[in-house]
Amino acid sequence: MIDLRLWRIALLSVPVVIVIAMFSLREVPPTLQSGIPPDAFDVSTAAPLAKDLAERAADPRAGSEADGLLAEQVSSRFAAIQGATVSEQSFDASVDGEDVELRNLIATLPGDSERQIAVIAPRDVAAGSGAVTSIAATAAMLEIANSFSGSTHRKTLVFVSTDGSSVGALGARRFVRDYSDAGLLDAAIVLSQPAVPDPTPPLVIPWSTGDENTSSQLRDTANSIVSKETDTPAGDEGPLDDLFRLALPAGLGEQGPLVEADLPAVRLSSRGELPIRPSEDTPESFGTESFDRFGRAALSLILSLDGSTEAIEHGPRGYIGVAGNLLPGWTLALLALALLAPVSLASGVGLASAARSPIDAARGVVWTALRTLPFLGAVIVFSFAVLVGLMPSPEFPFDPQLESLGTGGAVAVTAAALSYCVVAFFLRPLRPPPRAAVSSAAPAALLVACAAAFGIWLLNPYLGLLVAVGLQAWVPAAARLVGGRLASVALVLVGLLPLVAAVADLAGRFDAGLAVWQDILLMLADGQIALSLALLGCGLAGAGVAIVAVAGHGPAGPGLRGRIRETLEPRPEEDRGTPDDLGEPAEIDVPEGEISVRRPHPAARREPEDAPSEPQPDQPEPERDPRLWSKPTGSISPPPGSRSATPRPSTA
């Protein structure tokens, strides 16, 4: 039996943690300002360059001939910059099932300080001509780099033309991993699709592929500059959206792996986070005005970072914005523990009190663990399909508009669903627990859910917070506060709402709608969603099924109304009978050698109600109503349906 009172008392720790979080709010670092206008960006030179490159190397897919031609153009222009040192990073990759050789091109302009700023532009595309996306970004970066030719600047500037950006941002990953001076980089600015005619927020993309944030000062500075140069709000999200992005990390673009590698980075984009459709990426769609505005914004951001004499303030590693302040991620992790502790305490104490022995407790835990087998079977089949190559596993970040399960993925998902159905058919997960485990099943199921939630918290405390919030609805379901299986199903589903909200937020970011489940499976296949998280999710799902299976089996609890009625209404005293009803104690003859025991009934030792008592002189005997009694005074008639209790003799 789960003690709800203990659960409510333990929940008092949550307000304490909230107070601690309020005192842990940190001010947002001030935005950096540049006193030099970005007039050095010449759109009259950059725009013709972008169109010329688009004609020479149209459709530069990673590893293609057009990609190689574009790389030669970039290399020659890097070499023409006065004072630049050109280097190259070569690496192999698999693109559409073919092994190709890719290369990053790097131009370094030394400054007065050893601290560095990286400007990154992708060179390849997944689909489309690249005229307003990668080729336009490359042309803007070349114009910005040429504007620093022969000039003085405080920090060393590193211009990078990455390859394989459309294949899981391989170029950015390789740059930050193999660059020898990566520890000297203060920030990275990624140029992305800068020539879309009508800019659409968000124009600054700071999100990571991991559960961490970029520098808050870099993000706010980029927002301020881009909003000023484009006359369009760069876009900012609320605290709930920030939490969902940390709980399900899925930042698209090359800034994602850079932030995950602890390099502060932002991406400037004229069309939000998603890549534009191939039909929009044509030379005819090139927006000169947008190209000019985003080129100036990128140059202004570089000048602001270069003019700062101090290191960029990062803020907490993980945070969400609350009322113009930063709430550190550790307070959210602490809040998740404060929510998990009451559920764990109530379920643990309930299991200890319900089980008559450790074996009974183990029976409840094992019975709950068996409910996870159908989910585990589906995950194992899915993982095997990924291992043999049947399930596609594109490198993340990928374009969710272009990637799909395909025939192999559909077969893999069908096989996983069939494995779930087969295991569930033989196991019957909704079947009530056996008699030996019926008393410990509910608290054991809640305890298993807490264990799975704690494992999720260890891997991602923000996702663990969402799970911990939902588990509060599972407590009354496991305690059977509301009777019936249907009510338990409703409470279990209510507990899943925080996770559903996070998935809905991901669907909105990917513009996928209900088809977001395919993107989640692709992320699981690639490892963006860890397999360990999927296994812990199986434990959580099995515990929820176990709670539903226990509902309606055996003697149910009094329910909420019953608890209130028991509290308000006094309990009637038990009718113990009278000595006259019990009769005289019987004497039983026993064989010789035995002891005969004559034991009267305990109630017979009490004074009979009709025993004579001392008359009270001042209280006359009340008159009897003849309608209530049909016999003379002194005679007793038992009420209808009652029996005289006959005491049983005791022998020793």
Side-chain angles (χ1 to χ4, degrees):
M1 188 64 181
I2 297 175
D3 190 353
L4 294 178
R5 182 182 178 185
L6 181 62
W7 168 60
R8 290 191 295 267
I9 293 175
L11 278 176
L12 295 177
S13 61
V14 175
V16 177
V17 174
I18 293 176
V19 172
I20 294 175
M22 292 175 60
F23 283 97
S24 302
L25 290 173
R26 298 178 58 176
E27 293 184 356
V28 178
T31 59
L32 302 177
Q33 303 294 331
S34 173
I36 305 175
D39 297 332
F41 185 82
D42 188 1
V43 68
S44 62
T45 303
L49 174 62
K51 295 179 180 179
D52 180 62
L53 293 177
E55 291 177 359
R56 294 189 181 188
D59 194 15
R61 297 175 185 264
S64 65
E65 182 179 355
D67 184 24
L69 291 175
L70 187 58
E72 294 299 329
Q73 293 289 325
V74 172
S75 179
S76 63
R77 290 185 175 273
F78 274 168
I81 298 175
Q82 182 180 353
T85 302
V86 183
S87 59
E88 184 177 304
Q89 293 176 331
S90 299
F91 53 98
D92 297 328
S94 177
V95 181
D96 296 332
E98 297 182 3
D99 294 333
V100 296
E101 182 179 356
L102 307 178
R103 54 178 177 163
N104 293 338
L105 300 174
I106 305 173
T108 305
L109 290 174
D112 298 335
S113 170
E114 64 176 3
R115 305 305 303 176
Q116 301 181 6
I117 302 171
V119 182
I120 300 175
R123 198 172 62 247
D124 61 298
V125 294
S129 69
V132 300
T133 55
S134 61
I135 293 179
T138 300
M141 180 193 65
L142 291 175
E143 176 60 26
I144 293 173
N146 187 63
S147 67
F148 285 97
S149 178
S151 64
T152 59
H153 39 87
R154 186 186 304 274
K155 297 181 180 179
T156 299
L157 303 180
V158 182
F159 297 92
V160 187
S161 175
T162 58
D163 204 357
S165 63
S166 61
V167 192
L170 291 181
R173 294 180 186 274
R174 182 57 63 109
F175 167 71
V176 74
R177 190 184 72 180
D178 295 346
Y179 185 57
S180 58
D181 293 334
L184 299 177
L185 290 170
D186 284 343
I189 304 169
V190 179
L191 303 178
S192 171
Q193 48 193 26
V196 178
D198 299 319
T200 303
L203 306 179
V204 177
I205 317 297
W207 301 296
S208 170
T209 53
D211 58 346
E212 59 276 311
N213 297 91
T214 191
S215 164
S216 60
Q217 189 175 43
L218 174 63
R219 180 201 63 187
D220 292 345
T221 302
N223 283 335
S224 175
I225 291 175
V226 172
S227 299
K228 178 182 178 181
E229 293 293 339
T230 62
D231 292 330
T232 303
D236 195 9
E237 298 187 337
L240 203 56
D241 293 320
D242 291 343
L243 177 60
F244 289 154
R245 285 189 176 274
L246 293 173
L248 286 179
L252 301 179
E254 289 193 303
Q255 90 292 336
L258 298 179
V259 177
E260 188 178 10
D262 293 332
L263 173 60
V266 292
R267 177 163 65 98
L268 309 186
S269 168
S270 60
R271 182 56 70 83
E273 184 177 10
L274 283 173
I276 65 174
R277 299 185 182 278
S279 59
E280 300 178 77
D281 190 9
T282 61
E284 296 75 20
S285 302
F286 187 90
T288 304
E289 183 178 358
S290 295
F291 182 69
D292 181 27
R293 289 175 180 270
F294 273 87
R296 291 175 57 88
L299 179 57
S300 180
L301 181 57
I302 294 172
L303 294 174
S304 298
L305 296 175
D306 181 67
S308 175
T309 57
E310 300 179 356
I312 298 176
E313 296 186 40
H314 189 287
R317 185 175 184 271
Y319 59 83
I320 63 174
V322 177
N325 295 280
L326 301 180
L327 181 64
W330 65 265
T331 60
L332 301 175
L334 185 62
L335 180 61
L337 286 181
L339 289 169
L340 283 176
V343 184
S344 303
L345 183 62
S347 58
V349 173
L351 181 61
S353 61
R356 292 171 295 182
S357 64
I359 296 179
D360 286 346
R363 286 195 185 103
V365 174
V366 170
W367 178 82
T368 302
L370 291 176
R371 311 300 104 182
T372 67
L373 291 182
F375 301 97
L376 288 175
V379 171
I380 291 173
V381 171
F382 181 84
S383 302
F384 180 76
V386 174
L387 186 63
V388 300
L390 182 62
M391 177 71 190
S393 55
E395 293 282 348
F396 192 86
F398 52 74
D399 187 351
Q401 301 172 118
L402 299 179
E403 298 294 341
S404 62
L405 295 180
T407 304
V411 172
V413 172
T414 303
L418 287 177
S419 68
Y420 173 87
C421 295
V422 170
V423 177
F425 175 78
F426 289 102
L427 182 63
R428 305 290 176 85
L430 291 177
R431 185 170 51 189
R435 186 180 300 272
V438 67
S439 61
S440 60
L446 195 58
L447 190 61
V448 170
C450 290
F454 183 72
I456 294 173
W457 180 87
L458 290 176
L459 296 176
N460 187 327
Y462 311 103
L463 184 60
L465 174 60
L466 298 181
V467 175
V469 171
L471 282 185
Q472 309 309 312
W474 287 21
V475 175
R480 300 162 74 181
L481 185 62
V482 289
R485 177 167 291 183
L486 186 60
S488 296
V489 171
L491 288 175
V492 170
L493 293 179
V494 167
L496 297 177
L497 285 181
L499 297 178
V500 173
V503 173
D505 180 77
L506 181 66
R509 284 184 270 151
F510 284 5
D511 194 21
L514 295 178
V516 69
W517 65 271
Q518 300 185 33
D519 298 318
I520 293 177
L521 291 181
L522 292 175
M523 293 167 65
L524 178 61
D526 173 56
Q528 175 64 19
I529 298 178
L531 180 61
S532 54
L533 272 179
L535 296 178
L536 291 171
C538 292
L540 191 66
V545 172
I547 291 175
V548 173
V550 173
H553 177 76
L560 182 59
R561 294 184 178 180
R563 293 176 186 271
I564 297 175
R565 188 180 300 111
E566 288 182 359
T567 305
L568 299 179
E569 297 180 359
R571 298 182 179 179
E573 296 183 359
E574 298 180 358
D575 186 8
R576 301 180 180 273
T578 62
D580 293 327
D581 295 333
L582 299 175
E584 294 294 331
E587 182 177 356
I588 299 179
D589 296 332
V590 295
E592 186 177 357
E594 300 288 343
I595 301 175
S596 176
V597 179
R598 181 183 179 93
R599 178 178 298 172
H601 194 277
R605 292 195 293 266
R606 298 183 302 172
E607 292 293 333
E609 295 180 0
D610 294 340
S613 58
E614 294 295 331
Q616 301 294 333
D618 298 335
Q619 298 180 359
E621 183 178 358
E623 296 183 1
R624 298 179 181 272
D625 191 345
R627 294 175 298 177
L628 301 178
W629 300 96
S630 59
K631 291 187 178 183
T633 305
S635 62
I636 300 175
S637 294
S642 63
R643 295 185 302 173
S644 299
T646 304
R648 296 182 180 180
S650 301
T651 58

